[in-house]
Structures are given as structure tokens and as C-alpha cells.
Amino acid sequence: PTILCLPRSFDYSQKNAVLVPAAALGIGGLLVFWLRSRHKIKTIEMGDGWWGAGERPLKGKEDESIRPFKIETSDKEIEDLHRRLEQARYTPPLEGAAFHYGFNSNYLRKVVAYWRNQFDWRKQVEVLNKYPHFHTTIEGIDIHFIHVKPSYVPHGRAVQPLLMVHGWPGSFYEFYKIIPLLTEPAKHGLNGDDMVFEVICPSIPGYGFSEAPHQKGFDTIATARIFHKLMNRLGFKQFYVQGGDWGSRITTNMAQMLPQSVKGLHLNLIFISKQGLGRIISVMLGAYVPWLTGLTREDVRRVYPFIQKNIYDLLRETGYLHIQATKPDTAG
């Protein structure tokens, strides 16, 4: 994971910015970077939205209550799942195809057998309910989150609020093992002088136990705004944020939207935006006529093996991504 320690005045909105670890810059580099960027603060407009079913009510204030929530299942649900697993029909895979054409149905039989005969659904429900769960309604949809506070706070120590946002295909459960290290560091052999956090882990709308948006156009900026509203509703004017995958984009948008509220941003995935038709054409032509695109032979020697290994392979292995980006209702 890369910890970014960037000046508060960093211009997060620069589309062509490349984010690098602060340690790579050195103290002098950070100072120069800060001097050059301190007059370029730009933010994303927070705006507002409505994602509930139907038209937004013209009158009445949204219910801002925080409601306890408990994950539950029943014998009826489990029996229905077992019945559907037992009735699954499989198409034999091509001989020697392995996983080259998608999920191998021979292996899928083993996975389904595990779900049907070995996986303890009730035990998993108990594990999920280990921490306090809540619901609250924001912009017309119910937002699920867990909120874990430290059981003991050393005298004189301030508790720091930390919002942690998951990605795809993930959930709030990603953070279960690290939460005790953050809320009770001394119990886990960490330095007693370490910061103590209270942790808030929401489910992105449409994931886990958060209601899915009912309207078109939902994006990471809308999610960032909803999570700002969530933290404000919980009484936090300033807080730290952490994210990976979609959570990385969402928390970055949160820092862009209200930088005065985000005290620190930690990402374990970084989006590097080098956009534009001209850049795409340069990459395509660079391997053949590097002098035309401003590349040297050394650039070609270094860059194109990377593109062959990562970009082309990525295109071959992301059919699911194209389906989800263009026809998600079909997959659903």
C-alpha cells in the first residue's frame, strides 16, 4: 500500500496529475511542490441529489434518524437457497479449456457443493453482527454502515474518526480484521502512543445492505456527497478517510469536495489519469513511429513490454467489465 502525504493545498482536480509517494519526492521536492501548488486549490461542487423511488417530495424533511440494524437470515431463506443450488444445471466445459472462456463448470460444481453442504450460513451471520450496524436515509435511499468505537481510551487521548470505504467486488467486511488494531491498538501490541480511531465503514449504495439508487446517473461524486452527509450526521466536522478500488475514487472525491473536512487521505489504489484522444493515439503509434510521438527508443524498450503484459492482457480478461459498463441489467 502507498501512503500519500500530500500538502493540504494539493490540486486534486488536475486531470493529468500523477500521484507519487511523498517519500519519493524528498523534503526539498515537497517544499517546491507546496510552493508551486498552494495557489491552485480547486474543489468539486458538493451539489445535491435524490436517488429514491419516484419524484423527490416537495414538502417535509428527510428522516435523519440513525437506526440500529441487525443482519438476519431464516430457515426458509436457507432452504430456498439449498433448493436452488440443488437444481442448478451445468454445461460441460470444452476439453482443456480451463478458465480461458470463463468460469469452468467442473470447478463450479465443487464451489456449489461447498455452499450447499459445508458453508455455515448462520455462523457467518454471527460473524457479520460482531460490530454495531446502522441504517440512515440520505437522499432518498437507506445507507448501511458499521460504527465501531474504542472500548477504552487512554487519559488525554483524542479519538480520531476514520471513514473506510470498500470497493468492487467487496463490502464493509473487508475491514473486520483491521478494525481492532485501529480502535484498540494497545491490546494488539502496538505502540501506546499510536492514534486511537473510531471507525465508520459504510456500504456503497447498491452494495451489501445499502439500498441501491432508483435513479440513473449515480456516480462516485454522488457517493462522496452522501458519505460527507453521513459523517456530518454522526457529528464529525473533520475526519480521516481511507479507500481502495471504488473506495479510492470515492474518498478522493470527498477530499476534492470538502478539503477542510478531510484531515488525511489514505489510498491503497491510485487512479492515474492521462486522458484524451491525442494520448491514446500517441500510445498506439509510439511503438511504430516513436519519433513522431516524442518517444525515444529507450522509451519504447521500457514502455511497450509493460503495455503488452498489462494492457492487452487486461483487455482480454475484462469482458465482465464491458458488460457491467454497458448492459448491467442483463448481468443482473
Side-chain angles (χ1 to χ4, degrees), residues 272 274 279-280 283-284 302-321:
I272 300 178
K274 292 284 188 180
R279 182 163 295 279
I280 295 174
V283 170
M284 293 173 63
R302 289 173 175 268
V303 169
Y304 283 90
F306 172 85
I307 291 178
Q308 177 67 45
K309 185 177 186 303
N310 294 276
I311 306 301
Y312 296 158
D313 288 352
L314 187 67
L315 290 174
R316 280 196 294 266
E317 296 297 332
T318 51
Y320 76 92
L321 181 62

Side-chain angles (χ1 to χ4, degrees), residues 123-188:
K123 180 181 178 181
Q124 190 60 36
V125 168
E126 291 180 9
V127 171
L128 291 173
N129 282 319
K130 176 181 179 180
Y131 297 119
H133 293 253
F134 302 91
H135 265 159
T136 190
T137 304
I138 303 177
E139 297 189 4
I141 54 177
D142 282 348
I143 303 300
H144 162 263
F145 63 98
I146 60 173
H147 188 178
V148 187
K149 300 179 180 181
S151 59
Y152 168 76
V153 180
H155 179 71
R157 185 73 49 78
V159 178
Q160 304 294 335
L162 170 63
L163 179 80
M164 305 184 77
V165 184
H166 65 87
W168 181 95
S171 72
F172 60 92
Y173 183 63
E174 294 175 15
F175 305 114
Y176 267 45
K177 290 183 179 179
I178 200 173
I179 285 175
L181 306 180
L182 296 167
T183 57
E184 300 174 321
K187 283 188 178 181
H188 295 83

